[in-house]
Amino acid sequence: MDVRAAVALGPGQPLTIETVQLEGPREGEVLVEIKATGICHTDAYTLSGKDPEGLFPAVLGHEGAGVVAEVGPGVTSLKPGDHVIPLYVPECRQCEYCLSFKTNLCQAIRLTQGRGLMPDGSSRFSLGGKPLFHYMGTSTFSNYTVVPEIALAKIRSDAPFEKVCYIGCGVTTGLGAVINTAKVEPGANVVVFGLGGIGLNVIQGCRMVGANKIIGVDINPNRQELATKFGMTHFVNPKEVEGDLVALLVELTGGGADYSFECVGNVNLMRQALECCHKGWGVSVIVGVAAAGEEISTRPFQLVTGREWKGTAFGGARGRTDVPKIVDWYMDGKINIDDLITHVMPLDEINTAFDLMHRGESIRSVVTF
Ligand SMILES: NC(=O)C1=CN([C@@H]2O[C@H](COP(=O)(O)OP(=O)(O)OC[C@H]3O[C@@H](n4cnc5c(N)ncnc54)[C@H](O)[C@@H]3O)[C@@H](O)[C@H]2O)C=CC1
Ligand SMILES: N[C@@H](CCC(=O)N[C@@H](CSC=O)C(=O)NCC(=O)O)C(=O)O
Ligand SMILES: [Zn+2]
Ligand SMILES: [Zn+2]
């Protein structure tokens, strides 16, 4: 079938809107009509060419929501008409990783997903007879996409696509980093580096679990107002700090953060996030994705003296299990998504979403189809 997609033809180039050919679903696969997709910083990272797994030409996008249009042979958990959120971290419930219950990093289809292919090693997308790569197993910058059954969370049918698509990445990553990965407890003091689409959800998660001081760090002063609305108690702009930022954060937290989160993808901030943690027990969680070749460093003494360095992918969430619950939280008014979606646009204007992000003018842009 012919579909409309924003295609990344090469690194650093704007996306081009094309009529693309999409094959129907094969064994264990599902054709999804995408109704809305968010644009995450990770899409921009891959488009920049700095992602070692970035392949071109490709259909990017990993923060979508839509409706099942057709199921392939062997699909049992979904049927046409079901509302779904595609998952870049699937949940097969059978692999060693899923069964360990120690991680959400299902590996059932990770190898082919990282090569931009469906689990059988081929692509469903093509342009002018030449295959296009899939992206993160989801390729939501298209009005139709094909996704493995194990990479689809079935959600309630009354949830608005243009809001809950954000649960496909940013919301779940931020809330999950707090709840699943750090396991922040009531009364904890936290520091959040980066108050964008992810960091604001970390702030929201910290407020939900009853954190005490929630200190936000960002070089964009415009982030202060919204972050405060989401639960931030103190704002620090590193550009306005005279002297040592880490020392200031240790002082503000009364000895160091119980938990810190790096939500930018900057290895220097990752070090500061670790070193502002409390001696003996502080835990720092890396959420941001740093470019190929970047490395983190600190004095091992920081760890010897009891700080812990962790990382999180998709907030440690098991997507098919956890995503429908987060959709319920939104529908029950327990979490705020609406105020984070600052721009909504048609597919033709998707490059504007990247421009807004790079200029620091958006939190989340959403494309509706
Ligand atoms: N681990 C995971 O599962 C996921 C990771 N990510 C990654 O998280 C990071 C953040 O993503 P988004 O929130 O969508 O990006 P964003 O662009 O919306 O937000 C980044 C924020 O960092 C701030 N910032 C930039 N440089 C800074 C500095 N030197 N000091 C303090 N603040 C600074 C910006 O002003 C902005 O507010 C990206 O690296 C993205 O790839 C995103 C989703 C999931
Ligand atoms: N391909 C990149 C790393 C990208 C990455 O870390 N992705 C995160 C999700 S970011 C979403 O916006 C993730 O889930 N990683 C787990 C995984 O298995 O990829 C690189 O190689 O740098
Ligand atoms: Zn993302
Ligand atoms: Zn699995």
Side-chain angles (χ1 to χ4, degrees), residues 83-166:
H83 291 206
V84 289
I85 288 181
L87 303 167
Y88 59 85
V89 180
E91 183 186 350
C92 78
R93 299 174 176 162
Q94 287 179 349
C95 74
E96 184 191 2
Y97 288 72
C98 284
L99 292 175
S100 75
F101 285 91
K102 293 178 181 175
T103 178
N104 66 327
L105 292 177
C106 173
Q107 294 296 294
I109 56 172
R110 183 64 183 85
L111 281 180
T112 45
Q113 181 172 314
R115 294 188 196 126
L117 302 170
M118 294 300 286
D120 73 352
S122 61
S123 173
R124 299 290 158 274
F125 287 108
S126 59
L127 178 61
K130 294 194 178 139
L132 295 174
F133 288 109
H134 293 249
Y135 175 64
M136 291 176 79
T138 51
S139 291
T140 58
F141 292 170
S142 172
N143 64 339
Y144 284 86
T145 188
V146 173
V147 180
E149 178 184 20
I150 59 167
L152 286 166
K154 184 176 165 183
I155 61 163
R156 56 198 278 173
S157 59
D158 57 344
F161 297 113
E162 71 281 10
K163 300 289 179 6
V164 299
C165 60
Y166 192 9

Side-chain angles (χ1 to χ4, degrees), residues 40 42 45 51-53 62 88-89 105 110 136 169 289 313:
C40 171
T42 306
Y45 161 68
D51 178 356
E53 284 189 312
H62 63 281
Y88 59 85
V89 180
L105 292 177
R110 183 64 183 85
M136 291 176 79
C169 182
V289 173

Side-chain angles (χ1 to χ4, degrees), residues 39-46 62-63 88-89 104-105 135-136 166 168-174 177 192-201 216-221 223 235-239 245 262-266 268-270 272 285-291 311-316 356-360 362-364:
I39 290 92
C40 171
H41 203 116
T42 306
D43 296 306
Y45 161 68
T46 303
H62 63 281
E63 202 172 70
Y88 59 85
V89 180
N104 66 327
L105 292 177
Y135 175 64
M136 291 176 79
Y166 192 9
C169 182
V171 172
T172 304
T173 298
V192 183
F193 287 76
L195 304 175
I198 307 299
L200 289 169
N201 279 296
V217 181
D218 203 299
I219 50 173
N220 182 348
R223 295 286 144 102
F235 178 65
V236 176
N237 182 345
K239 287 183 175 170
L245 174 66
E262 199 281 351
C263 308
V264 182
N266 174 324
N268 299 318
L269 299 185
M270 291 174 190
Q272 291 177 322
V285 180
I286 294 176
V287 189
V289 173
T312 189
F314 197 38
L356 289 163
M357 179 196 295
H358 292 309
R359 291 202 301 264
S362 59
I363 301 297
R364 256 320 181 254

